[in-house]
Coordinates of all heavy atoms in Angstrom, one line a residue:
M97 N 49.2 98.2 269.7 CA 49.6 98.8 270.9 C 50.8 99.7 270.6 O 51.6 99.4 269.8 CB 49.9 97.8 272.0 CG 50.3 98.5 273.3 SD 50.8 97.4 274.7 CE 49.6 96.1 274.6
S98 N 50.9 100.8 271.3 CA 52.0 101.7 271.1 C 53.3 101.1 271.6 O 53.3 100.2 272.4 CB 51.8 103.0 271.9 OG 50.6 103.6 271.5
D99 N 54.4 101.7 271.2 CA 55.7 101.3 271.7 C 55.7 101.5 273.2 O 55.4 102.6 273.7 CB 56.8 102.1 271.1 CG 58.2 101.8 271.6 OD1 58.3 100.9 272.4 OD2 59.1 102.4 271.1
V100 N 56.1 100.5 274.0 CA 56.0 100.6 275.4 C 56.9 101.8 276.0 O 56.5 102.4 277.0 CB 56.4 99.3 276.1 CG1 57.8 99.0 275.9 CG2 56.0 99.2 277.5
H101 N 57.9 102.1 275.2 CA 58.8 103.2 275.7 C 58.1 104.5 275.6 O 58.5 105.5 276.3 CB 60.1 103.2 274.8 CG 60.9 102.0 275.1 ND1 61.0 101.0 274.2 CD2 61.7 101.7 276.2 CE1 61.8 100.0 274.7 NE2 62.3 100.5 275.9
M102 N 57.1 104.6 274.7 CA 56.4 105.9 274.6 C 55.3 106.0 275.7 O 54.6 107.1 275.7 CB 55.7 106.0 273.2 CG 56.8 105.9 272.1 SD 58.0 107.2 272.2 CE 57.1 108.6 271.8
L103 N 55.1 105.0 276.5 CA 54.0 105.0 277.4 C 54.4 105.2 278.9 O 53.6 105.3 279.8 CB 53.2 103.7 277.3 CG 52.6 103.3 276.0 CD1 52.0 101.9 276.0 CD2 51.5 104.3 275.6
T104 N 55.7 105.4 279.1 CA 56.2 105.5 280.5 C 55.6 106.7 281.2 O 55.3 106.7 282.4 CB 57.7 105.5 280.6 OG1 58.2 106.5 279.7 CG2 58.3 104.1 280.2
G105 N 55.5 107.8 280.5 CA 55.0 109.1 281.1 C 53.5 108.9 281.5 O 53.1 109.2 282.6
A106 N 52.7 108.3 280.6 CA 51.3 108.1 280.9 C 51.2 107.1 282.0 O 50.3 107.3 282.9 CB 50.6 107.6 279.6
Y107 N 52.0 106.1 282.0 CA 52.0 105.1 283.1 C 52.3 105.7 284.4 O 51.6 105.5 285.4 CB 53.0 103.9 282.8 CG 53.1 103.0 284.0 CD1 52.1 102.0 284.2 CD2 54.1 103.1 284.9 CE1 52.2 101.1 285.2 CE2 54.2 102.2 285.9 CZ 53.3 101.2 286.1 OH 53.3 100.4 287.2
A108 N 53.3 106.6 284.4 CA 53.7 107.2 285.7 C 52.6 108.1 286.2 O 52.5 108.3 287.5 CB 55.0 108.0 285.5
L109 N 51.7 108.6 285.4 CA 50.6 109.5 285.8 C 49.3 108.7 286.0 O 48.2 109.3 286.1 CB 50.4 110.6 284.8 CG 51.6 111.5 284.6 CD1 51.3 112.5 283.5 CD2 51.9 112.3 285.9
D110 N 49.4 107.3 286.0 CA 48.2 106.5 286.2 C 47.2 106.7 285.1 O 46.0 106.7 285.3 CB 47.6 106.7 287.6 CG 48.3 105.9 288.6 OD1 49.0 104.9 288.3 OD2 48.3 106.4 289.8
A111 N 47.6 107.0 283.9 CA 46.7 107.3 282.8 C 46.5 106.1 281.9 O 45.9 106.2 280.8 CB 47.2 108.5 282.0
L112 N 47.1 104.9 282.2 CA 47.0 103.7 281.4 C 46.1 102.7 282.1 O 46.1 102.6 283.3 CB 48.3 103.1 281.1 CG 49.3 103.9 280.3 CD1 50.6 103.1 280.1 CD2 48.8 104.3 279.0
E113 N 45.4 101.9 281.3 CA 44.6 100.8 281.8 C 44.9 99.6 281.0 O 45.5 99.6 279.9 CB 43.1 101.2 281.7 CG 42.8 102.3 282.6 CD 41.3 102.7 282.4 OE1 40.6 102.3 281.4 OE2 40.8 103.4 283.3
G114 N 44.4 98.4 281.5 CA 44.4 97.2 280.7 C 45.8 96.8 280.2 O 46.8 96.7 280.9
R115 N 45.7 96.4 278.9 CA 46.9 95.8 278.2 C 48.1 96.8 278.2 O 49.2 96.3 278.4 CB 46.6 95.4 276.8 CG 45.6 94.2 276.8 CD 45.2 93.8 275.4 NE 46.4 93.7 274.5 CZ 46.3 93.8 273.2 NH1 45.2 94.0 272.6 NH2 47.4 93.7 272.4
E116 N 47.9 98.1 278.0 CA 49.0 99.0 278.0 C 49.7 99.1 279.4 O 50.9 99.1 279.5 CB 48.5 100.4 277.5 CG 48.2 100.4 276.0 CD 47.8 101.8 275.6 OE1 47.1 102.5 276.3 OE2 48.1 102.1 274.4
R117 N 48.8 99.2 280.4 CA 49.4 99.2 281.7 C 50.2 98.0 282.1 O 51.3 98.0 282.6 CB 48.2 99.4 282.8 CG 48.7 99.6 284.2 CD 47.6 99.9 285.2 NE 48.1 100.1 286.5 CZ 48.6 101.3 286.9 NH1 48.7 102.3 286.0 NH2 49.1 101.4 288.1
T118 N 49.6 96.8 281.8 CA 50.3 95.6 282.0 C 51.6 95.5 281.2 O 52.6 95.0 281.8 CB 49.3 94.4 281.6 OG1 48.1 94.5 282.4 CG2 50.0 93.0 281.9
A119 N 51.6 95.9 280.0 CA 52.8 95.9 279.2 C 53.9 96.7 279.7 O 55.1 96.3 279.8 CB 52.5 96.3 277.7
V120 N 53.6 97.9 280.2 CA 54.6 98.8 280.8 C 55.1 98.2 282.1 O 56.3 98.2 282.3 CB 54.0 100.2 281.1 CG1 55.0 101.1 281.8 CG2 53.6 100.9 279.8
E121 N 54.2 97.6 282.9 CA 54.7 97.0 284.2 C 55.6 95.8 283.9 O 56.7 95.7 284.6 CB 53.5 96.6 285.0 CG 52.7 97.7 285.6 CD 51.4 97.3 286.3 OE1 50.9 96.2 286.0 OE2 50.9 98.1 287.0
A122 N 55.3 95.0 282.9 CA 56.1 93.9 282.6 C 57.4 94.3 282.0 O 58.5 93.8 282.4 CB 55.4 93.0 281.6
H123 N 57.4 95.4 281.2 CA 58.7 95.9 280.6 C 59.6 96.5 281.7 O 60.8 96.2 281.8 CB 58.4 96.9 279.5 CG 59.6 97.5 279.0 ND1 60.4 96.8 278.1 CD2 60.3 98.7 279.2 CE1 61.5 97.5 277.8 NE2 61.4 98.7 278.4
C124 N 59.0 97.3 282.6 CA 59.8 97.9 283.6 C 60.4 96.9 284.6 O 61.4 97.2 285.2 CB 58.9 99.0 284.4 SG 58.6 100.5 283.4
A125 N 59.7 95.8 284.8 CA 60.3 94.8 285.7 C 61.6 94.3 285.2 O 62.4 93.8 286.0 CB 59.3 93.6 285.8
G126 N 61.9 94.3 283.9 CA 63.1 93.9 283.4 C 64.0 95.0 282.7 O 65.0 94.7 282.2
C127 N 63.6 96.2 282.8 CA 64.3 97.3 282.2 C 64.6 98.4 283.2 O 63.7 99.2 283.5 CB 63.6 97.8 281.0 SG 64.5 99.2 280.2
P128 N 65.7 98.4 283.8 CA 66.0 99.4 284.9 C 65.9 100.9 284.3 O 65.6 101.8 285.1 CB 67.5 99.1 285.3 CG 67.8 97.8 284.7 CD 66.9 97.5 283.6
T129 N 66.2 101.1 283.1 CA 66.2 102.4 282.5 C 64.7 102.9 282.5 O 64.5 104.1 282.9 CB 66.7 102.4 281.1 OG1 68.1 101.9 281.1 CG2 66.7 103.8 280.4
C130 N 63.8 102.1 282.0 CA 62.4 102.6 282.0 C 61.8 102.6 283.4 O 61.0 103.5 283.7 CB 61.6 101.6 281.1 SG 62.0 101.9 279.3
F131 N 62.2 101.7 284.3 CA 61.8 101.8 285.7 C 62.2 103.1 286.3 O 61.4 103.8 286.9 CB 62.4 100.6 286.4 CG 61.9 100.6 287.9 CD1 60.7 100.1 288.3 CD2 62.8 101.1 288.9 CE1 60.3 100.1 289.6 CE2 62.4 101.2 290.2 CZ 61.2 100.6 290.6
R132 N 63.4 103.5 286.1 CA 64.0 104.7 286.6 C 63.2 105.9 286.0 O 62.9 106.9 286.7 CB 65.5 104.8 286.4 CG 66.1 106.0 287.1 CD 67.6 106.0 287.0 NE 68.1 105.8 285.7 CZ 68.7 104.7 285.2 NH1 68.9 103.7 286.0 NH2 69.2 104.6 284.0
E133 N 63.0 105.8 284.7 CA 62.3 106.9 284.0 C 60.9 107.1 284.6 O 60.5 108.3 284.9 CB 62.2 106.6 282.5 CG 61.6 107.8 281.8 CD 61.7 107.6 280.3 OE1 62.7 108.0 279.7 OE2 60.8 107.0 279.7
C134 N 60.2 106.0 284.9 CA 58.9 106.1 285.5 C 58.9 106.8 286.9 O 58.1 107.6 287.2 CB 58.2 104.8 285.6 SG 57.6 104.1 284.1
E135 N 60.0 106.4 287.6 CA 60.1 107.0 289.0 C 60.4 108.5 288.9 O 59.9 109.3 289.6 CB 61.3 106.3 289.7 CG 61.0 104.9 290.1 CD 59.8 104.7 291.0 OE1 59.8 105.4 292.0 OE2 58.9 103.9 290.7
E136 N 61.2 108.9 287.9 CA 61.5 110.3 287.7 C 60.3 111.1 287.2 O 60.1 112.2 287.7 CB 62.6 110.4 286.6 CG 64.0 110.0 287.2 CD 65.1 110.0 286.1 OE1 64.8 110.3 284.9 OE2 66.2 109.6 286.4
F137 N 59.5 110.5 286.4 CA 58.2 111.1 285.9 C 57.3 111.3 287.2 O 56.7 112.4 287.3 CB 57.5 110.3 284.9 CG 58.0 110.5 283.5 CD1 58.2 109.4 282.6 CD2 58.2 111.8 283.0 CE1 58.6 109.6 281.3 CE2 58.6 112.0 281.7 CZ 58.8 110.9 280.9
R138 N 57.2 110.3 288.0 CA 56.3 110.4 289.2 C 56.9 111.5 290.1 O 56.1 112.4 290.6 CB 56.3 109.1 290.0 CG 55.4 108.1 289.4 CD 55.2 106.9 290.3 NE 54.6 105.8 289.6 CZ 55.2 104.7 289.2 NH1 56.5 104.6 289.5 NH2 54.6 103.8 288.5
A139 N 58.2 111.6 290.3 CA 58.7 112.6 291.2 C 58.5 114.0 290.6 O 58.2 115.0 291.3 CB 60.2 112.4 291.4
T140 N 58.7 114.1 289.3 CA 58.4 115.4 288.6 C 57.0 115.8 288.7 O 56.7 117.0 289.0 CB 58.9 115.3 287.1 OG1 60.2 115.0 287.0 CG2 58.6 116.6 286.4
A141 N 56.1 114.9 288.5 CA 54.6 115.2 288.6 C 54.3 115.6 290.0 O 53.5 116.5 290.2 CB 53.8 113.9 288.2
A142 N 54.9 115.0 291.0 CA 54.6 115.4 292.4 C 55.1 116.8 292.6 O 54.4 117.6 293.3 CB 55.3 114.4 293.3
R143 N 56.3 117.1 292.1 CA 56.8 118.5 292.3 C 55.9 119.5 291.6 O 55.7 120.6 292.1 CB 58.2 118.6 291.8 CG 59.2 117.8 292.7 CD 60.6 117.9 292.2 NE 61.1 119.2 292.5 CZ 62.3 119.7 292.1 NH1 63.1 118.9 291.4 NH2 62.7 120.9 292.3
L144 N 55.5 119.1 290.4 CA 54.6 120.0 289.6 C 53.3 120.2 290.4 O 52.7 121.3 290.4 CB 54.3 119.5 288.2 CG 55.4 119.6 287.2 CD1 55.1 118.9 285.9 CD2 55.7 121.1 286.9
G145 N 52.8 119.2 291.0 CA 51.5 119.3 291.8 C 51.7 120.2 292.9 O 50.8 121.0 293.2
M146 N 52.8 120.2 293.6 CA 53.1 121.1 294.7 C 53.2 122.5 294.2 O 52.8 123.5 294.8 CB 54.3 120.7 295.4 CG 54.1 119.5 296.3 SD 55.5 119.0 297.3 CE 56.7 118.5 296.1
A147 N 53.9 122.7 293.0 CA 54.1 124.0 292.5 C 52.8 124.7 292.0 O 52.6 125.9 292.1 CB 55.0 123.9 291.3
S148 N 51.8 123.9 291.6 CA 50.6 124.4 291.1 C 49.7 125.0 292.2 O 48.7 125.7 291.9 CB 49.8 123.4 290.3 OG 49.3 122.4 291.2
T149 N 50.0 124.8 293.5 CA 49.2 125.4 294.6 C 49.6 126.8 294.8 O 48.9 127.5 295.6 CB 49.5 124.6 295.9 OG1 50.9 124.6 296.2 CG2 49.0 123.1 295.7
T150 N 50.6 127.3 294.2 CA 50.9 128.7 294.3 C 50.8 129.5 293.0 O 50.9 128.9 292.0 CB 52.4 128.9 294.8 OG1 53.2 128.3 293.8 CG2 52.6 128.2 296.2
V151 N 50.5 130.7 293.1 CA 50.3 131.5 291.9 C 51.8 131.9 291.4 O 52.5 132.6 292.2 CB 49.5 132.8 292.1 CG1 49.4 133.7 290.9 CG2 48.1 132.4 292.6
P152 N 52.1 131.5 290.2 CA 53.5 131.8 289.7 C 53.6 133.3 289.4 O 52.6 133.9 288.9 CB 53.6 131.0 288.5 CG 52.3 130.7 288.0 CD 51.4 130.7 289.2
P153 N 54.8 133.9 289.6 CA 55.0 135.3 289.2 C 54.9 135.4 287.7 O 55.1 134.5 286.9 CB 56.4 135.6 289.7 CG 57.0 134.3 290.0 CD 55.9 133.3 290.2
A154 N 54.4 136.6 287.2 CA 54.3 136.8 285.8 C 55.5 136.6 285.0 O 55.5 136.1 283.8 CB 53.8 138.3 285.5
A155 N 56.7 136.9 285.6 CA 57.9 136.8 284.9 C 58.3 135.3 284.6 O 59.0 135.0 283.7 CB 59.1 137.4 285.7
L156 N 57.7 134.4 285.4 CA 58.0 133.0 285.3 C 57.5 132.5 283.9 O 58.3 131.7 283.2 CB 57.3 132.2 286.4 CG 57.5 130.6 286.3 CD1 59.0 130.3 286.4 CD2 56.8 130.0 287.4
K157 N 56.3 132.9 283.5 CA 55.8 132.4 282.2 C 56.7 132.9 281.0 O 57.1 132.1 280.2 CB 54.4 133.0 281.9 CG 53.8 132.5 280.6 CD 52.4 133.0 280.4 CE 51.8 132.6 279.1 NZ 50.5 133.0 278.9
R158 N 57.2 134.1 281.1 CA 58.1 134.6 280.1 C 59.4 133.9 280.1 O 59.9 133.5 279.0 CB 58.4 136.1 280.3 CG 57.2 137.0 279.8 CD 57.7 138.5 279.8 NE 58.3 138.9 281.1 CZ 57.6 139.4 282.1 NH1 56.3 139.5 282.1 NH2 58.2 139.8 283.2
R159 N 59.9 133.6 281.3 CA 61.2 132.8 281.4 C 61.0 131.4 280.8 O 61.9 131.0 280.1 CB 61.6 132.8 282.9 CG 63.0 132.8 283.1 CD 63.4 133.1 284.5 NE 63.9 131.8 285.1 CZ 63.8 131.5 286.4 NH1 63.1 132.2 287.2 NH2 64.3 130.3 286.8
V160 N 59.9 130.7 281.2 CA 59.7 129.4 280.7 C 59.6 129.4 279.1 O 60.2 128.6 278.5 CB 58.5 128.7 281.3 CG1 58.1 127.4 280.6 CG2 58.7 128.5 282.8
L161 N 58.8 130.3 278.6 CA 58.7 130.4 277.2 C 60.0 130.7 276.5 O 60.3 130.2 275.4 CB 57.6 131.4 276.8 CG 56.1 130.9 277.2 CD1 55.1 132.0 276.9 CD2 55.8 129.6 276.5
D162 N 60.8 131.6 277.1 CA 62.1 131.9 276.5 C 63.0 130.7 276.5 O 63.7 130.4 275.5 CB 62.8 133.0 277.3 CG 62.2 134.4 277.1 OD1 61.4 134.5 276.2 OD2 62.4 135.3 278.0
I163 N 62.9 129.9 277.5 CA 63.7 128.6 277.5 C 63.2 127.7 276.5 O 64.0 127.1 275.8 CB 63.7 128.0 278.9 CG1 64.4 128.9 279.9 CG2 64.3 126.6 278.9 CD1 64.2 128.5 281.4
V164 N 61.9 127.5 276.3 CA 61.3 126.6 275.3 C 61.8 127.1 273.9 O 62.2 126.3 273.1 CB 59.8 126.6 275.4 CG1 59.2 125.9 274.2 CG2 59.4 125.9 276.7
R165 N 61.7 128.4 273.6 CA 62.1 128.9 272.3 C 63.6 128.7 272.1 O 64.0 128.5 270.9 CB 61.7 130.4 272.2 CG 60.3 130.6 272.1 CD 60.0 132.1 271.8 NE 58.6 132.4 272.1 CZ 58.2 133.0 273.2 NH1 59.0 133.5 274.1 NH2 56.9 133.2 273.4
A166 N 64.4 128.8 273.1 CA 65.8 128.7 273.0 C 66.3 127.2 272.9 O 67.5 127.0 272.5 CB 66.5 129.4 274.1
T167 N 65.5 126.3 273.3 CA 65.9 124.9 273.3 C 65.9 124.3 271.9 O 64.8 124.3 271.2 CB 64.9 124.0 274.2 OG1 64.9 124.6 275.5 CG2 65.3 122.6 274.2
P168 N 67.0 123.9 271.4 CA 67.1 123.3 270.0 C 66.2 122.1 269.9 O 66.2 121.3 270.8 CB 68.6 123.0 269.8 CG 69.2 123.1 271.2 CD 68.3 123.8 272.1
R169 N 65.6 122.0 268.7 CA 64.7 120.8 268.4 C 65.3 120.1 267.2 O 65.4 120.7 266.2 CB 63.3 121.3 268.1 CG 62.6 121.9 269.3 CD 61.2 122.3 269.0 NE 60.7 123.1 270.0 CZ 60.2 124.3 269.8 NH1 60.0 124.8 268.6 NH2 59.8 125.1 270.8
P170 N 65.6 118.9 267.4 CA 66.1 118.1 266.2 C 65.0 117.9 265.2 O 63.8 117.9 265.6 CB 66.6 116.8 266.8 CG 66.1 116.7 268.2 CD 65.7 118.1 268.6
P171 N 65.3 117.7 264.0 CA 64.3 117.4 263.0 C 63.5 116.2 263.3 O 64.0 115.2 263.9 CB 65.0 117.3 261.7 CG 66.4 117.0 262.0 CD 66.7 117.6 263.4
P172 N 62.2 116.1 262.9 CA 61.3 115.0 263.2 C 61.9 113.6 262.8 O 61.7 112.6 263.6 CB 60.0 115.3 262.5 CG 60.0 116.8 262.2 CD 61.5 117.1 262.1
W173 N 62.5 113.5 261.7 CA 63.0 112.2 261.2 C 64.1 111.7 262.2 O 64.2 110.5 262.4 CB 63.6 112.3 259.8 CG 64.8 113.3 259.7 CD1 64.8 114.6 259.3 CD2 66.2 113.0 260.0 NE1 66.0 115.2 259.4 CE2 66.9 114.2 259.8 CE3 66.9 111.9 260.5 CZ2 68.3 114.3 260.0 CZ3 68.3 112.0 260.7 CH2 68.9 113.2 260.5
R174 N 64.8 112.6 262.9 CA 65.8 112.2 263.8 C 65.2 111.7 265.1 O 65.7 110.9 265.8 CB 66.7 113.4 264.1 CG 68.0 112.9 264.8 CD 69.0 114.0 264.7 NE 70.2 113.6 265.5 CZ 71.0 114.4 266.1 NH1 70.9 115.7 265.8 NH2 72.0 114.0 266.8
L175 N 64.0 112.3 265.5 CA 63.4 111.9 266.7 C 62.8 110.5 266.6 O 62.7 109.8 267.6 CB 62.2 112.9 267.0 CG 62.6 114.3 267.4 CD1 61.4 115.2 267.6 CD2 63.5 114.4 268.6
R176 N 62.5 110.1 265.4 CA 61.9 108.8 265.3 C 63.0 107.7 265.4 O 62.7 106.5 265.6 CB 61.2 108.7 263.9 CG 59.9 109.4 263.9 CD 59.1 109.1 262.7 NE 59.7 109.6 261.5 CZ 59.4 110.8 261.0 NH1 58.6 111.6 261.6 NH2 60.0 111.3 259.9
M177 N 64.2 108.0 265.2 CA 65.3 107.1 265.3 C 65.6 106.6 266.7 O 65.7 107.5 267.6 CB 66.6 107.6 264.7 CG 66.5 107.9 263.2 SD 68.0 108.7 262.5 CE 69.2 107.4 262.8
S178 N 65.6 105.4 267.0 CA 65.8 104.8 268.3 C 65.0 105.5 269.4 O 63.9 106.0 269.2 CB 67.3 104.7 268.6 OG 67.8 106.0 268.8
G179 N 65.5 105.6 270.6 CA 64.8 106.3 271.6 C 65.3 107.7 271.9 O 65.1 108.3 272.9
L180 N 66.0 108.3 270.9 CA 66.6 109.6 271.0 C 65.5 110.7 271.3 O 65.7 111.5 272.2 CB 67.3 110.0 269.7 CG 68.0 111.4 269.7 CD1 69.0 111.5 270.8 CD2 68.6 111.7 268.4
G181 N 64.4 110.6 270.6 CA 63.4 111.6 270.9 C 62.9 111.6 272.3 O 62.7 112.6 272.9
R182 N 62.6 110.4 272.7 CA 62.1 110.2 274.1 C 63.1 110.8 275.1 O 62.8 111.5 276.1 CB 61.8 108.8 274.4 CG 61.3 108.5 275.7 CD 60.9 107.0 275.8 NE 61.9 106.1 275.5 CZ 62.8 105.5 276.3 NH1 62.7 105.8 277.6 NH2 63.7 104.7 275.9
R183 N 64.4 110.4 274.9 CA 65.4 110.9 275.9 C 65.5 112.4 275.8 O 65.7 113.0 276.9 CB 66.7 110.2 275.6 CG 66.7 108.7 275.9 CD 68.1 108.1 275.9 NE 68.7 108.2 274.6 CZ 68.6 107.3 273.6 NH1 67.9 106.3 273.8 NH2 69.2 107.5 272.5
L184 N 65.5 113.0 274.6 CA 65.6 114.4 274.5 C 64.4 115.1 275.2 O 64.6 116.1 275.9 CB 65.7 114.9 273.1 CG 67.1 114.6 272.4 CD1 67.0 114.9 270.9 CD2 68.2 115.4 273.0
R185 N 63.2 114.6 274.9 CA 62.0 115.2 275.6 C 62.1 115.1 277.1 O 61.8 116.1 277.8 CB 60.8 114.6 275.1 CG 60.4 115.0 273.6 CD 59.0 114.5 273.3 NE 58.9 113.1 273.3 CZ 59.2 112.3 272.3 NH1 59.6 112.8 271.2 NH2 59.0 111.0 272.4
H186 N 62.6 114.0 277.6 CA 62.7 113.8 279.0 C 63.7 114.8 279.6 O 63.5 115.5 280.6 CB 63.1 112.4 279.3 CG 63.2 112.1 280.8 ND1 62.2 112.0 281.6 CD2 64.3 111.9 281.5 CE1 62.6 111.8 282.8 NE2 63.9 111.7 282.8
R187 N 64.9 114.9 278.9 CA 65.9 115.8 279.4 C 65.4 117.2 279.4 O 65.7 118.0 280.3 CB 67.2 115.7 278.6 CG 68.0 114.5 279.0 CD 69.4 114.6 278.4 NE 69.8 113.2 278.1 CZ 70.3 112.8 276.9 NH1 70.5 113.7 275.9 NH2 70.6 111.6 276.7
T188 N 64.7 117.6 278.3 CA 64.2 119.0 278.2 C 63.2 119.2 279.3 O 63.3 120.3 279.9 CB 63.6 119.2 276.8 OG1 64.5 118.9 275.8 CG2 63.0 120.6 276.7
A189 N 62.3 118.3 279.6 CA 61.3 118.5 280.7 C 62.0 118.7 282.0 O 61.7 119.6 282.8 CB 60.4 117.3 280.7
V190 N 63.0 117.8 282.3 CA 63.7 117.9 283.6 C 64.5 119.2 283.6 O 64.5 119.9 284.7 CB 64.7 116.7 283.7 CG1 65.6 116.9 284.9 CG2 63.9 115.4 283.9
R191 N 65.1 119.6 282.5 CA 65.9 120.9 282.5 C 64.9 122.1 282.8 O 65.2 123.0 283.6 CB 66.6 121.0 281.2 CG 67.6 122.2 281.2 CD 68.4 122.3 279.9 NE 68.8 121.0 279.3 CZ 68.5 120.6 278.0 NH1 67.9 121.4 277.2 NH2 68.9 119.5 277.6
L192 N 63.8 122.1 282.1 CA 62.8 123.2 282.3 C 62.3 123.2 283.7 O 62.2 124.3 284.3 CB 61.6 123.0 281.3 CG 61.8 123.4 279.9 CD1 60.6 123.0 279.1 CD2 62.0 124.9 279.8
L193 N 62.0 122.1 284.2 CA 61.5 122.0 285.6 C 62.5 122.5 286.6 O 62.2 123.3 287.5 CB 61.0 120.6 286.0 CG 60.5 120.4 287.4 CD1 59.2 121.3 287.5 CD2 60.2 119.0 287.7
S194 N 63.7 122.1 286.4 CA 64.8 122.4 287.3 C 65.1 123.9 287.2 O 65.2 124.6 288.3 CB 66.1 121.7 286.9 OG 67.2 122.1 287.6
R195 N 65.1 124.5 286.0 CA 65.3 126.0 285.9 C 64.2 126.8 286.5 O 64.4 127.8 287.1 CB 65.4 126.3 284.4 CG 66.8 125.9 283.8 CD 66.9 126.4 282.4 NE 68.1 125.9 281.8 CZ 68.4 126.1 280.5 NH1 67.6 126.8 279.7 NH2 69.5 125.6 280.0
T196 N 62.9 126.3 286.3 CA 61.8 127.1 286.8 C 61.6 127.0 288.3 O 61.1 127.9 288.9 CB 60.5 126.7 286.1 OG1 60.3 125.4 286.3 CG2 60.6 127.1 284.6
L197 N 62.0 125.9 288.9 CA 61.8 125.7 290.3 C 63.0 126.2 291.2 O 62.8 126.3 292.4 CB 61.5 124.3 290.7 CG 60.2 123.7 290.1 CD1 60.0 122.3 290.5 CD2 59.0 124.5 290.5
H198 N 64.1 126.5 290.6 CA 65.2 127.0 291.4 C 65.5 128.4 291.2 O 65.0 129.1 290.4 CB 66.5 126.2 291.0 CG 66.4 124.8 291.4 ND1 66.2 123.7 290.5 CD2 66.3 124.2 292.6 CE1 66.1 122.6 291.2 NE2 66.2 122.8 292.5
Ligands
ZN486 ZN1 62.9 99.9 278.6

């Protein structure tokens, strides 16, 4: 089974079943950080769902891609250390969403 910390996004989107779903639920019951992360993923997914009902302006795609290109990426070996990669990806996703929706 995958590291439970890598499954919070999929769990928040109801994309897990069986043992993986049960493992994330059990972990989140005792880990406020992961519980909060799941709640944030759900809130972000809900906002994205609302945003997809409108046609985005052409400039939005360019702006999002510019932000993605400008966002520094640590080397892969560093992402594998502890939960740094997960936290960075989460922060980047929240930053991108915040910039594009405001
Ligand atoms: Zn945790």
Side-chain angles (χ1 to χ4, degrees):
M97 182 184 317
S98 302
D99 177 3
V100 71
H101 293 105
M102 301 302 290
L103 300 174
T104 53
Y107 173 78
L109 297 175
D110 281 332
L112 296 181
E113 296 179 340
R115 291 175 50 200
E116 288 183 325
R117 181 175 186 81
T118 302
V120 174
E121 288 172 346
H123 178 77
C124 287
C127 180
T129 301
C130 289
F131 179 82
R132 187 174 49 253
E133 185 170 271
C134 287
E135 293 298 311
E136 290 172 0
F137 276 135
R138 283 191 192 102
T140 300
R143 291 179 72 185
L144 286 172
M146 287 186 289
S148 68
T149 59
T150 60
V151 177
L156 178 61
K157 181 178 179 180
R158 283 191 308 275
R159 214 168 108 209
V160 169
L161 291 176
D162 287 345
I163 293 169
V164 169
R165 287 185 198 106
T167 302
R169 296 183 192 125
W173 61 266
R174 193 165 174 206
L175 293 178
R176 287 190 291 270
M177 295 176 63
S178 69
L180 178 64
R182 180 173 54 94
R183 289 191 299 272
L184 286 174
R185 285 189 299 273
H186 179 72
R187 277 193 216 132
T188 301
V190 169
R191 191 177 320 128
L192 279 171
L193 180 64
S194 175
R195 286 184 186 175
T196 56
L197 296 180
H198 292 109

